[in-house]
Amino acid sequence: MIKAIIFDLDNTLLDRETSLKSFLKSQYNKFQTELNHVTIDDYSSTFIKLDANGMVWKDIVYQHMLVEINIANLEWQTLLDDYVTNFCTHCISYEGVKTALDALKTKNYKLGIITNGKYPFQQKNIEALGIENYFSTIIVSEKAGIKKPQAEIFYLSAKQLEISVSQAIYVGDNPKIDIEAAQNSGMKAIWKRNNNYDSCQWADAIFENFNVLPQIIEKL
């Protein structure tokens, strides 16, 4: 019997692409004097390329950006500090997230989050979405000292929710470190279809819009 639904954050609950583009526009405008030799489109596209869908931490991204687009009058640390401090003010969830979470809470599912990333950076992003109160456990990999795809991070979440891993469904966007890893830990896994990956045929279920997620979970 399924008792808990555990979510990834980036590209699952958080619309990272929209949020990131909004932040990069704001950052570009903030430092426009130092960046007037490059267009906003080039600035954003360079960041997005180096960021590799969030897999590269931003200290490396900004250091490489200084070279690639010839930023001479700014330190990479200045740009990183701005990112760490202000990205959360641009966080946007996917449409229907809160409605789906409300529906799952109504059915008495326990809810959790497991996200790879820095702490408290990821915690601040969750709080910015206004959804932290839905969750009985929130695990950020840097704070936990383990990260996906390690099975231990899924075991830890189940322990905090006081369930067995077989009683949980994990919802995420990455076919390997979310779906396959959760299944390897003993959980069922639902893939949020996205443009970053072609397919995930081994997922227990697939969805795109949150308005159908509660029904999909009931079928599992």
Side-chain angles (χ1 to χ4, degrees):
M1 179 180 178
I2 299 300
K3 295 184 177 181
I5 316 299
I6 306 168
F7 292 86
D8 173 47
L9 178 60
D10 293 332
N11 298 318
T12 300
L13 298 171
L14 171 70
D15 184 344
R16 188 172 185 273
E17 181 180 356
T18 301
S19 303
L20 187 56
K21 287 180 178 178
S22 174
F23 167 75
L24 290 171
K25 181 178 180 180
S26 173
Q27 184 171 71
Y28 178 84
N29 290 335
K30 181 181 295 184
F31 297 106
Q32 192 165 25
T33 299
E34 295 86 356
L35 299 173
N36 60 8
H37 65 289
V38 62
T39 66
I40 176 60
D41 289 341
D42 285 343
Y43 185 77
S44 294
S45 62
T46 301
F47 183 103
I48 290 168
K49 177 189 70 174
L50 294 170
D51 173 70
N53 193 32
M55 301 300 288
V56 180
W57 182 237
K58 306 315 161 281
D59 54 352
I60 304 299
V61 171
Y62 282 119
Q63 288 178 64
H64 286 192
M65 283 185 71
L66 294 186
V67 176
E68 288 211 14
I69 56 179
N70 191 29
I71 303 174
N73 300 320
L74 276 174
E75 298 290 335
W76 66 265
Q77 187 68 53
T78 301
L79 294 170
L80 176 62
D81 289 346
D82 181 52
Y83 176 84
V84 170
T85 302
N86 294 312
F87 178 81
C88 63
T89 65
H90 296 268
C91 286
I92 300 168
S93 65
Y94 286 104
E95 183 177 356
V97 163
K98 288 186 178 180
T99 300
L101 295 177
D102 282 329
L104 295 173
K105 291 290 279 188
T106 298
K107 294 183 178 295
N108 295 317
Y109 288 111
K110 296 180 178 181
L111 302 180
I113 290 177
I114 302 173
T115 176
N116 284 355
K118 301 287 186 179
Y119 184 89
F121 179 80
Q122 292 290 64
Q123 181 70 36
K124 288 167 60 180
N125 294 341
I126 294 167
E127 292 170 0
L129 295 178
I131 59 174
E132 71 275 16
N133 290 334
Y134 285 98
F135 301 99
S136 301
T137 175
I138 295 174
I139 298 175
V140 179
S141 65
E142 184 181 59
K143 185 178 182 181
I146 46 177
K147 65 180 182 178
K148 299 177 294 182
Q150 292 174 279
E152 287 78 10
I153 201 165
F154 297 98
Y155 300 153
L156 176 61
S157 183
K159 181 179 180 180
Q160 292 182 357
L161 290 168
E162 299 180 324
I163 60 167
S164 67
V165 286
S166 64
Q167 294 174 316
I169 295 175
Y170 191 75
V171 181
D173 72 294
N174 187 302
K176 296 292 288 185
I177 69 171
D178 287 330
I179 305 308
E180 185 176 292
Q183 290 173 329
N184 287 343
S185 78
M187 295 181 182
K188 292 185 180 297
I190 298 176
W191 183 51
K192 187 181 187 303
R193 190 191 303 275
N194 60 89
N195 295 327
N196 296 315
Y197 306 98
D198 293 332
S199 65
C200 184
Q201 297 177 353
W202 55 89
D204 293 289
I206 297 171
F207 79 107
E208 291 185 33
N209 300 314
F210 271 89
N211 61 340
V212 301
L213 182 60
Q215 290 80 13
I216 289 174
I217 288 170
E218 286 300 297
K219 290 180 180 178
L220 289 179

